[in-house]
Amino acid sequence: MITRDAGPAQRSVASERPANPRSGTVAIWDLPLRVWHWALAAFVLVACVTPNTFDRLHRLAGYAVIGLLAFRLIWGVIGSRHSLFARISLKLRAAPKYIVNILRGETGRYLGLNPAGAAMLVAMLALLIVSTVSGVMQVSQRFFGVGWIEQAHALSSNAIIALIAVHVLGTVWMSVLQRENLMRAMVTGRKRVPGIVRADPATVRSRSAELTPVVAREEEISVVPDLPPQRAAPPPVTAKPIPARMPRTLSVHDKRLGVGR
């Protein structure tokens, strides 16, 4: 796997220094995104266990999921840095190779979503939209009993359940590979800074008075910044010296205007 140097990753978090040097973590997931994540998980779980038994509760859970989807689409445009959809296409293009590397036990560090997580997010949002829209159409008077709508709702709902299982297993696997509890990160909103591990407590105590973050040894894993490396600034363009003009004889018109006095 082609990896990048840890330097760009360190520079990309320069403005997000950890508030507490003891933890070596940085705030990544904002509170609205974390509430959205766990609320979506709860309502999807309710919707998965209530069809054909508690129809009213099933519909209420579906309407709640629609509201959460609308919020996520809006928050992906106006939310915090790691909630935005701005660079989702770049990560999607890197997802196939990234997933192959994960199967080999190789992984890179991302502060936000890694390419596999970005692909999971897009697939989950798409399936939830299909499932909820087809579910609303299914209970409407116009589309009630239409076969292809019922089939679309059933297939998308089953695919969501399978995708949830893949998501949970993938989160556990990545937590093991990167030696970090990613589920806890979605609760606290903080993740360990890429490329470092928690420093020795004695070192932290000796440096805490300086109020500077502690940088420990680098991990033996690849470090990939969340954003592309910053390009080097182009060399300054120096102005060409203006050649000295040759002295000229003043004309009658110049003398009248007072030029050369």
Side-chain angles (χ1 to χ4, degrees):
M1 179 178 65
I2 300 176
T3 60
R4 298 174 182 150
D5 183 71
Q10 300 290 352
R11 289 195 300 271
S12 66
V13 299
S15 61
E16 299 174 292
R17 293 182 180 274
N20 185 1
R22 293 177 179 273
S23 64
T25 60
V26 64
I28 299 298
W29 309 119
D30 55 48
L31 181 60
L33 187 67
R34 284 178 280 150
V35 172
W36 172 85
H37 179 274
W38 295 112
L40 182 67
F43 283 115
V44 169
L45 179 62
V46 171
C48 288
V49 300
T50 55
N52 302 322
T53 53
F54 302 96
D55 290 338
R56 181 178 178 84
L57 183 58
H58 182 76
R59 288 195 297 269
L60 291 176
Y63 293 140
V65 171
I66 292 176
L68 291 172
L69 289 175
F71 166 80
R72 186 64 181 93
L73 295 178
I74 296 173
W75 201 247
V77 178
I78 66 174
S80 59
R81 171 184 172 186
H82 297 287
S83 304
L84 300 177
F85 296 145
R87 297 185 179 273
I88 201 76
S89 60
L90 296 176
K91 294 184 178 181
L92 288 179
R93 288 198 293 268
K97 185 175 181 179
Y98 188 84
I99 294 174
V100 172
N101 290 330
I102 289 177
L103 297 177
R104 298 173 181 172
E106 302 173 359
T107 175
R109 288 298 310 279
Y110 281 78
L111 282 178
L113 285 176
N114 58 42
M120 177 66 69
L121 173 64
V122 172
M124 182 66 75
L125 292 179
L127 287 173
L128 286 172
I129 291 174
V130 173
S131 178
T132 53
V133 172
S134 60
V136 172
M137 296 173 64
Q138 187 177 353
V139 297
S140 65
Q141 184 176 0
R142 179 177 180 180
F143 297 100
F144 181 79
V146 177
W148 68 269
I149 293 180
E150 295 180 352
Q151 188 175 10
H153 183 69
L155 291 177
S156 59
S157 300
N158 292 333
I160 289 171
I161 297 175
L163 208 60
I164 291 174
V166 174
H167 175 58
V168 173
L169 292 176
T171 301
V172 173
W173 194 0
M174 291 296 292
S175 298
V176 173
L177 292 178
Q178 296 186 346
R179 293 173 288 175
E180 181 176 17
N181 191 333
L182 297 180
M183 294 184 66
R184 183 176 62 187
M186 187 52 71
V187 175
T188 62
R190 305 185 68 87
K191 293 181 67 175
R192 181 163 43 84
V193 178
I196 67 171
V197 296
R198 184 173 295 181
D200 182 72
T203 305
V204 175
R205 286 193 297 269
S206 63
R207 297 187 181 182
S208 59
E210 302 176 5
L211 298 179
T212 56
V214 179
V215 180
R217 64 179 179 83
E218 292 187 2
E219 297 181 59
E220 296 179 354
I221 61 174
S222 58
V223 180
V224 185
D226 182 58
L227 298 176
Q230 299 177 354
R231 296 183 178 180
V237 179
T238 57
K240 295 182 179 180
I242 301 176
R245 295 183 179 181
M246 296 297 293
R248 63 184 178 89
T249 304
L250 297 178
S251 64
V252 177
H253 181 70
D254 291 335
K255 292 179 180 179
R256 290 177 179 177
L257 295 178
V259 178
R261 293 183 181 178

